Amino acid sequence: MKKVIYLLLICAVAFSSCGVNETSGLSESKESLSADSLSDDSAKADESVTDIQLKESENSVVDNSLSDKEKEYDKQVKQNYDNIMKNITDKPLKEVISQCMPDTLPKNYLRYRFESEFSCQTEFISFNEQYNIELIRKLDDNRMYTVHKLDSGGLFYSFFNNDLLYNTAYACKKLSYSDFSDIKAGDSISRVEQIDPCTSMWRDINKDNGTINQNVLLTDGLLFINYKLQQGEYYIAGMILFDDFKMSVPSIDNGDIVFDYSILPEDYPE
């Protein structure tokens, strides 16, 4: 009987021992599985990080490439600008200007006035690309003007403020206000043409408008003449002299804009 009980105890212990081992094995298996899963997840995470880093690296290369192109473009623009600015001079016109510009210059820009409400403005460099600048007069840190000779005769002046074209003027001969002492409202435009040949250009570029606003650059001011079309001819409706060369014009965004037409005495036509 004792032997039977002993054998049963041995079996029970053995069975208990097997159960513990199986449970331990299951636990170890779970731990192993968990470790493997973590290892896989970690590897996936590493792959994900690597992919992100690779993409960031590729983007960085593209960004650097674009940045280099932008830097090269800025460098070229600055070089072009510096080359043009070498034409700032105190020399007389006849010693500097070697070529004449076509009449497209006054036709495109004679009526030009800076309008701040428009997004597109004529910049100094782009103006030079259209009409090669040979002479620049620097007035102060912000203001300068250029001078061109025209095929049809006369001189064309382009006034820049902070490298933007603000206004223009056209002079065919040296005139003063006294030359217009006999001109009055009601006179025809042909009378003005006899005094100032540039008037023909103003008539030509405004012939279909019914109104002409002409600026005459004088040695003692800027003369503004307004013409109205009547029975097929333009007649003077009004005249104003700006003896300080400054004309104030209303602007939608910034109130009045003042356009300065003053030039150096040596830059008038002969």
Side-chain angles (χ1 to χ4, degrees):
M1 184 67 178
K2 289 181 179 180
K3 288 183 179 180
V4 173
I5 294 172
Y6 180 74
L7 288 172
L8 289 172
L9 288 173
I10 291 174
C11 289
V13 170
F15 181 81
S16 175
S17 175
C18 287
V20 169
N21 288 339
E22 287 178 3
T23 303
S24 176
L26 180 60
S27 176
E28 289 175 0
S29 177
K30 287 181 178 179
E31 290 176 1
S32 175
L33 180 61
S34 177
D36 291 341
S37 298
L38 289 174
S39 177
D40 290 342
D41 290 343
S42 177
K44 290 178 180 178
D46 288 344
E47 283 183 15
S48 178
V49 170
T50 302
D51 290 342
I52 292 172
Q53 290 175 340
L54 180 59
K55 289 178 180 179
E56 288 179 348
S57 176
E58 291 174 350
N59 290 336
S60 176
V61 171
V62 173
D63 289 342
N64 287 338
S65 176
L66 289 175
S67 178
D68 290 341
K69 289 180 181 178
E70 290 173 351
K71 288 178 181 178
E72 183 61 31
Y73 175 78
D74 291 342
K75 180 181 178 182
Q76 186 62 49
V77 169
K78 184 179 184 306
Q79 184 177 344
N80 292 341
Y81 182 84
D82 291 342
N83 288 336
I84 303 171
M85 295 303 285
K86 292 177 182 178
N87 293 322
I88 296 176
T89 180
D90 295 327
K91 294 180 179 180
L93 295 173
K94 61 177 64 178
E95 294 182 13
V96 179
I97 301 179
S98 62
Q99 57 183 324
C100 291
M101 292 292 112
D103 286 347
T104 53
L105 175 52
K107 287 181 178 178
N108 289 338
Y109 288 104
L110 183 55
R111 293 179 296 172
Y112 186 97
R113 282 200 316 234
F114 179 87
E115 299 290 347
S116 57
E117 59 266 26
F118 297 147
S119 60
C120 297
Q121 304 294 345
T122 301
E123 296 182 344
F124 183 65
I125 291 181
S126 62
F127 185 80
N128 177 71
E129 290 174 353
Q130 289 182 287
Y131 303 101
N132 182 47
I133 296 172
E134 294 184 284
L135 183 146
I136 303 172
R137 301 298 195 204
K138 189 77 170 175
L139 301 174
D140 56 38
D141 290 341
N142 299 322
R143 294 178 58 249
M144 60 185 174
Y145 67 87
T146 65
V147 185
H148 289 88
K149 288 182 179 179
L150 297 180
D151 286 334
S152 58
L155 299 175
F156 193 83
Y157 309 88
S158 306
F159 300 87
F160 292 86
N161 196 328
N162 291 317
D163 295 335
L164 291 176
L165 182 62
Y166 256 63
N167 52 296
T168 62
Y170 180 31
C172 295
K173 58 192 293 189
K174 186 182 290 186
L175 297 168
S176 66
Y177 188 57
S178 61
D179 292 311
F180 293 84
S181 59
D182 293 333
I183 300 297
K184 61 185 183 302
D187 288 342
S188 70
I189 193 173
S190 58
R191 286 207 62 194
V192 181
E193 285 176 315
Q194 293 173 6
I195 300 170
D196 179 17
C198 286
T199 306
S200 298
M201 180 68 72
W202 285 96
R203 181 204 284 264
D204 184 47
I205 63 178
N206 291 277
K207 59 185 178 182
D208 298 323
N209 294 342
T211 298
I212 298 175
N213 293 320
Q214 177 184 4
N215 295 327
V216 184
L217 184 59
L218 307 173
T219 56
D220 50 358
L222 181 77
L223 180 61
F224 173 82
I225 307 176
N226 172 253
Y227 305 89
K228 296 294 184 181
L229 183 62
Q230 297 178 6
Q231 298 178 344
E233 176 64 315
Y234 283 97
Y235 293 89
I236 298 176
M239 300 170 60
I240 303 174
L241 175 66
F242 299 92
D243 55 10
D244 60 355
F245 295 91
K246 295 178 181 179
M247 177 186 290
S248 181
V249 178
S251 170
I252 295 176
D253 290 344
N254 301 320
D256 289 352
I257 296 180
V258 177
F259 298 106
D260 192 337
Y261 289 84
S262 58
I263 64 173
L264 300 177
E266 58 268 29
D267 287 340
Y268 283 92
E270 296 179 352

PDB file of all heavy atoms in Angstrom, residues 177-200:
ATOM      1  N   TYR A 177       9.614 129.724 -70.470  1.00  0.00           N
ATOM      2  CA  TYR A 177       8.199 130.083 -70.417  1.00  0.00           C
ATOM      3  C   TYR A 177       7.903 131.322 -71.269  1.00  0.00           C
ATOM      4  O   TYR A 177       6.801 131.467 -71.815  1.00  0.00           O
ATOM      5  CB  TYR A 177       7.786 130.318 -68.962  1.00  0.00           C
ATOM      6  CG  TYR A 177       6.307 130.517 -68.784  1.00  0.00           C
ATOM      7  CD1 TYR A 177       5.394 129.553 -69.215  1.00  0.00           C
ATOM      8  CD2 TYR A 177       5.807 131.674 -68.181  1.00  0.00           C
ATOM      9  CE1 TYR A 177       4.031 129.729 -69.053  1.00  0.00           C
ATOM     10  CE2 TYR A 177       4.444 131.862 -68.018  1.00  0.00           C
ATOM     11  CZ  TYR A 177       3.559 130.882 -68.460  1.00  0.00           C
ATOM     12  OH  TYR A 177       2.199 131.075 -68.306  1.00  0.00           O
ATOM     13  N   SER A 178       8.879 132.173 -71.409  1.00  0.00           N
ATOM     14  CA  SER A 178       8.673 133.391 -72.209  1.00  0.00           C
ATOM     15  C   SER A 178       8.390 133.072 -73.680  1.00  0.00           C
ATOM     16  O   SER A 178       7.771 133.873 -74.383  1.00  0.00           O
ATOM     17  CB  SER A 178       9.899 134.302 -72.102  1.00  0.00           C
ATOM     18  OG  SER A 178      11.057 133.647 -72.598  1.00  0.00           O
ATOM     19  N   ASP A 179       8.848 131.909 -74.133  1.00  0.00           N
ATOM     20  CA  ASP A 179       8.576 131.512 -75.517  1.00  0.00           C
ATOM     21  C   ASP A 179       7.088 131.266 -75.759  1.00  0.00           C
ATOM     22  O   ASP A 179       6.639 131.229 -76.923  1.00  0.00           O
ATOM     23  CB  ASP A 179       9.366 130.254 -75.875  1.00  0.00           C
ATOM     24  CG  ASP A 179      10.869 130.505 -75.921  1.00  0.00           C
ATOM     25  OD1 ASP A 179      11.271 131.481 -76.574  1.00  0.00           O
ATOM     26  OD2 ASP A 179      11.616 129.739 -75.281  1.00  0.00           O
ATOM     27  N   PHE A 180       6.329 131.071 -74.679  1.00  0.00           N
ATOM     28  CA  PHE A 180       4.893 130.794 -74.795  1.00  0.00           C
ATOM     29  C   PHE A 180       4.045 131.987 -74.340  1.00  0.00           C
ATOM     30  O   PHE A 180       2.848 131.834 -74.080  1.00  0.00           O
ATOM     31  CB  PHE A 180       4.541 129.562 -73.938  1.00  0.00           C
ATOM     32  CG  PHE A 180       5.142 128.279 -74.450  1.00  0.00           C
ATOM     33  CD1 PHE A 180       6.445 127.929 -74.117  1.00  0.00           C
ATOM     34  CD2 PHE A 180       4.412 127.419 -75.259  1.00  0.00           C
ATOM     35  CE1 PHE A 180       7.008 126.757 -74.579  1.00  0.00           C
ATOM     36  CE2 PHE A 180       4.961 126.243 -75.727  1.00  0.00           C
ATOM     37  CZ  PHE A 180       6.272 125.917 -75.395  1.00  0.00           C
ATOM     38  N   SER A 181       4.667 133.148 -74.267  1.00  0.00           N
ATOM     39  CA  SER A 181       3.963 134.328 -73.750  1.00  0.00           C
ATOM     40  C   SER A 181       2.741 134.699 -74.598  1.00  0.00           C
ATOM     41  O   SER A 181       1.784 135.294 -74.085  1.00  0.00           O
ATOM     42  CB  SER A 181       4.922 135.516 -73.653  1.00  0.00           C
ATOM     43  OG  SER A 181       5.482 135.809 -74.929  1.00  0.00           O
ATOM     44  N   ASP A 182       2.771 134.374 -75.890  1.00  0.00           N
ATOM     45  CA  ASP A 182       1.655 134.727 -76.770  1.00  0.00           C
ATOM     46  C   ASP A 182       0.630 133.599 -76.921  1.00  0.00           C
ATOM     47  O   ASP A 182      -0.364 133.750 -77.637  1.00  0.00           O
ATOM     48  CB  ASP A 182       2.169 135.122 -78.160  1.00  0.00           C
ATOM     49  CG  ASP A 182       2.979 136.417 -78.130  1.00  0.00           C
ATOM     50  OD1 ASP A 182       2.720 137.242 -77.220  1.00  0.00           O
ATOM     51  OD2 ASP A 182       3.865 136.585 -78.988  1.00  0.00           O
ATOM     52  N   ILE A 183       0.898 132.468 -76.255  1.00  0.00           N
ATOM     53  CA  ILE A 183      -0.010 131.318 -76.351  1.00  0.00           C
ATOM     54  C   ILE A 183      -1.049 131.414 -75.243  1.00  0.00           C
ATOM     55  O   ILE A 183      -0.737 131.692 -74.086  1.00  0.00           O
ATOM     56  CB  ILE A 183       0.777 129.996 -76.238  1.00  0.00           C
ATOM     57  CG1 ILE A 183       1.807 129.899 -77.365  1.00  0.00           C
ATOM     58  CG2 ILE A 183      -0.168 128.800 -76.270  1.00  0.00           C
ATOM     59  CD1 ILE A 183       1.205 129.852 -78.752  1.00  0.00           C
ATOM     60  N   LYS A 184      -2.304 131.140 -75.600  1.00  0.00           N
ATOM     61  CA  LYS A 184      -3.387 131.243 -74.613  1.00  0.00           C
ATOM     62  C   LYS A 184      -4.453 130.194 -74.905  1.00  0.00           C
ATOM     63  O   LYS A 184      -4.458 129.543 -75.975  1.00  0.00           O
ATOM     64  CB  LYS A 184      -3.999 132.637 -74.648  1.00  0.00           C
ATOM     65  CG  LYS A 184      -4.610 133.016 -75.975  1.00  0.00           C
ATOM     66  CD  LYS A 184      -5.089 134.438 -75.991  1.00  0.00           C
ATOM     67  CE  LYS A 184      -5.768 134.807 -77.305  1.00  0.00           C
ATOM     68  NZ  LYS A 184      -4.907 134.621 -78.477  1.00  0.00           N
ATOM     69  N   ALA A 185      -5.349 130.026 -73.939  1.00  0.00           N
ATOM     70  CA  ALA A 185      -6.476 129.097 -74.104  1.00  0.00           C
ATOM     71  C   ALA A 185      -7.290 129.483 -75.327  1.00  0.00           C
ATOM     72  O   ALA A 185      -7.556 130.669 -75.572  1.00  0.00           O
ATOM     73  CB  ALA A 185      -7.346 129.105 -72.850  1.00  0.00           C
ATOM     74  N   GLY A 186      -7.669 128.483 -76.111  1.00  0.00           N
ATOM     75  CA  GLY A 186      -8.427 128.707 -77.337  1.00  0.00           C
ATOM     76  C   GLY A 186      -7.567 128.640 -78.583  1.00  0.00           C
ATOM     77  O   GLY A 186      -8.092 128.473 -79.693  1.00  0.00           O
ATOM     78  N   ASP A 187      -6.242 128.731 -78.415  1.00  0.00           N
ATOM     79  CA  ASP A 187      -5.343 128.598 -79.571  1.00  0.00           C
ATOM     80  C   ASP A 187      -5.269 127.145 -80.013  1.00  0.00           C
ATOM     81  O   ASP A 187      -5.406 126.215 -79.211  1.00  0.00           O
ATOM     82  CB  ASP A 187      -3.939 129.096 -79.224  1.00  0.00           C
ATOM     83  CG  ASP A 187      -3.875 130.617 -79.081  1.00  0.00           C
ATOM     84  OD1 ASP A 187      -4.795 131.284 -79.578  1.00  0.00           O
ATOM     85  OD2 ASP A 187      -2.912 131.114 -78.463  1.00  0.00           O
ATOM     86  N   SER A 188      -5.000 126.932 -81.284  1.00  0.00           N
ATOM     87  CA  SER A 188      -4.915 125.570 -81.809  1.00  0.00           C
ATOM     88  C   SER A 188      -3.558 124.955 -81.463  1.00  0.00           C
ATOM     89  O   SER A 188      -2.575 125.663 -81.195  1.00  0.00           O
ATOM     90  CB  SER A 188      -5.109 125.558 -83.327  1.00  0.00           C
ATOM     91  OG  SER A 188      -3.993 126.152 -83.976  1.00  0.00           O
ATOM     92  N   ILE A 189      -3.509 123.633 -81.501  1.00  0.00           N
ATOM     93  CA  ILE A 189      -2.271 122.915 -81.199  1.00  0.00           C
ATOM     94  C   ILE A 189      -1.188 123.227 -82.227  1.00  0.00           C
ATOM     95  O   ILE A 189       0.013 123.155 -81.918  1.00  0.00           O
ATOM     96  CB  ILE A 189      -2.537 121.390 -81.122  1.00  0.00           C
ATOM     97  CG1 ILE A 189      -1.345 120.663 -80.488  1.00  0.00           C
ATOM     98  CG2 ILE A 189      -2.864 120.826 -82.496  1.00  0.00           C
ATOM     99  CD1 ILE A 189      -1.599 119.185 -80.216  1.00  0.00           C
ATOM    100  N   SER A 190      -1.576 123.608 -83.423  1.00  0.00           N
ATOM    101  CA  SER A 190      -0.599 123.913 -84.469  1.00  0.00           C
ATOM    102  C   SER A 190       0.264 125.113 -84.080  1.00  0.00           C
ATOM    103  O   SER A 190       1.427 125.202 -84.479  1.00  0.00           O
ATOM    104  CB  SER A 190      -1.306 124.154 -85.808  1.00  0.00           C
ATOM    105  OG  SER A 190      -2.235 125.208 -85.698  1.00  0.00           O
ATOM    106  N   ARG A 191      -0.290 126.060 -83.305  1.00  0.00           N
ATOM    107  CA  ARG A 191       0.494 127.202 -82.850  1.00  0.00           C
ATOM    108  C   ARG A 191       1.591 126.760 -81.891  1.00  0.00           C
ATOM    109  O   ARG A 191       2.710 127.276 -81.927  1.00  0.00           O
ATOM    110  CB  ARG A 191      -0.403 128.233 -82.153  1.00  0.00           C
ATOM    111  CG  ARG A 191      -1.283 129.052 -83.083  1.00  0.00           C
ATOM    112  CD  ARG A 191      -1.611 130.394 -82.475  1.00  0.00           C
ATOM    113  NE  ARG A 191      -0.405 131.189 -82.266  1.00  0.00           N
ATOM    114  CZ  ARG A 191      -0.365 132.287 -81.516  1.00  0.00           C
ATOM    115  NH1 ARG A 191      -1.455 132.708 -80.876  1.00  0.00           N
ATOM    116  NH2 ARG A 191       0.758 132.978 -81.387  1.00  0.00           N
ATOM    117  N   VAL A 192       1.269 125.784 -81.054  1.00  0.00           N
ATOM    118  CA  VAL A 192       2.271 125.264 -80.109  1.00  0.00           C
ATOM    119  C   VAL A 192       3.333 124.477 -80.865  1.00  0.00           C
ATOM    120  O   VAL A 192       4.521 124.527 -80.531  1.00  0.00           O
ATOM    121  CB  VAL A 192       1.597 124.383 -79.039  1.00  0.00           C
ATOM    122  CG1 VAL A 192       2.639 123.855 -78.037  1.00  0.00           C
ATOM    123  CG2 VAL A 192       0.508 125.153 -78.298  1.00  0.00           C
ATOM    124  N   GLU A 193       2.925 123.750 -81.901  1.00  0.00           N
ATOM    125  CA  GLU A 193       3.880 122.978 -82.703  1.00  0.00           C
ATOM    126  C   GLU A 193       4.929 123.886 -83.349  1.00  0.00           C
ATOM    127  O   GLU A 193       6.076 123.469 -83.535  1.00  0.00           O
ATOM    128  CB  GLU A 193       3.144 122.184 -83.783  1.00  0.00           C
ATOM    129  CG  GLU A 193       2.412 120.955 -83.248  1.00  0.00           C
ATOM    130  CD  GLU A 193       1.615 120.239 -84.324  1.00  0.00           C
ATOM    131  OE1 GLU A 193       0.925 120.923 -85.101  1.00  0.00           O
ATOM    132  OE2 GLU A 193       1.682 118.990 -84.385  1.00  0.00           O
ATOM    133  N   GLN A 194       4.537 125.094 -83.677  1.00  0.00           N
ATOM    134  CA  GLN A 194       5.489 126.033 -84.270  1.00  0.00           C
ATOM    135  C   GLN A 194       6.577 126.435 -83.278  1.00  0.00           C
ATOM    136  O   GLN A 194       7.703 126.748 -83.667  1.00  0.00           O
ATOM    137  CB  GLN A 194       4.750 127.275 -84.760  1.00  0.00           C
ATOM    138  CG  GLN A 194       3.803 127.018 -85.924  1.00  0.00           C
ATOM    139  CD  GLN A 194       2.962 128.244 -86.267  1.00  0.00           C
ATOM    140  OE1 GLN A 194       3.144 129.331 -85.716  1.00  0.00           O
ATOM    141  NE2 GLN A 194       2.018 128.073 -87.196  1.00  0.00           N
ATOM    142  N   ILE A 195       6.255 126.383 -81.989  1.00  0.00           N
ATOM    143  CA  ILE A 195       7.226 126.737 -80.939  1.00  0.00           C
ATOM    144  C   ILE A 195       7.995 125.506 -80.477  1.00  0.00           C
ATOM    145  O   ILE A 195       9.219 125.534 -80.362  1.00  0.00           O
ATOM    146  CB  ILE A 195       6.504 127.387 -79.737  1.00  0.00           C
ATOM    147  CG1 ILE A 195       5.775 128.655 -80.181  1.00  0.00           C
ATOM    148  CG2 ILE A 195       7.485 127.689 -78.613  1.00  0.00           C
ATOM    149  CD1 ILE A 195       4.847 129.221 -79.127  1.00  0.00           C
ATOM    150  N   ASP A 196       7.250 124.422 -80.233  1.00  0.00           N
ATOM    151  CA  ASP A 196       7.853 123.186 -79.723  1.00  0.00           C
ATOM    152  C   ASP A 196       7.579 122.040 -80.686  1.00  0.00           C
ATOM    153  O   ASP A 196       6.468 121.504 -80.734  1.00  0.00           O
ATOM    154  CB  ASP A 196       7.282 122.854 -78.341  1.00  0.00           C
ATOM    155  CG  ASP A 196       7.862 121.566 -77.758  1.00  0.00           C
ATOM    156  OD1 ASP A 196       8.916 121.112 -78.256  1.00  0.00           O
ATOM    157  OD2 ASP A 196       7.254 121.014 -76.813  1.00  0.00           O
ATOM    158  N   PRO A 197       8.588 121.617 -81.468  1.00  0.00           N
ATOM    159  CA  PRO A 197       8.393 120.527 -82.442  1.00  0.00           C
ATOM    160  C   PRO A 197       7.967 119.209 -81.800  1.00  0.00           C
ATOM    161  O   PRO A 197       7.369 118.361 -82.473  1.00  0.00           O
ATOM    162  CB  PRO A 197       9.773 120.402 -83.104  1.00  0.00           C
ATOM    163  CG  PRO A 197      10.433 121.725 -82.878  1.00  0.00           C
ATOM    164  CD  PRO A 197       9.941 122.197 -81.542  1.00  0.00           C
ATOM    165  N   CYS A 198       8.277 119.017 -80.509  1.00  0.00           N
ATOM    166  CA  CYS A 198       7.892 117.776 -79.827  1.00  0.00           C
ATOM    167  C   CYS A 198       6.381 117.605 -79.746  1.00  0.00           C
ATOM    168  O   CYS A 198       5.880 116.491 -79.531  1.00  0.00           O
ATOM    169  CB  CYS A 198       8.460 117.746 -78.411  1.00  0.00           C
ATOM    170  SG  CYS A 198      10.232 117.430 -78.325  1.00  0.00           S
ATOM    171  N   THR A 199       5.648 118.696 -79.915  1.00  0.00           N
ATOM    172  CA  THR A 199       4.187 118.653 -79.827  1.00  0.00           C
ATOM    173  C   THR A 199       3.593 117.691 -80.857  1.00  0.00           C
ATOM    174  O   THR A 199       2.554 117.065 -80.610  1.00  0.00           O
ATOM    175  CB  THR A 199       3.600 120.067 -80.020  1.00  0.00           C
ATOM    176  OG1 THR A 199       4.220 120.953 -79.085  1.00  0.00           O
ATOM    177  CG2 THR A 199       2.099 120.082 -79.808  1.00  0.00           C
ATOM    178  N   SER A 200       4.260 117.551 -82.005  1.00  0.00           N
ATOM    179  CA  SER A 200       3.765 116.635 -83.047  1.00  0.00           C
ATOM    180  C   SER A 200       3.731 115.194 -82.548  1.00  0.00           C
ATOM    181  O   SER A 200       2.822 114.430 -82.908  1.00  0.00           O
ATOM    182  CB  SER A 200       4.646 116.734 -84.297  1.00  0.00           C
ATOM    183  OG  SER A 200       4.602 118.036 -84.835  1.00  0.00           O
TER     184      SER A 200
END
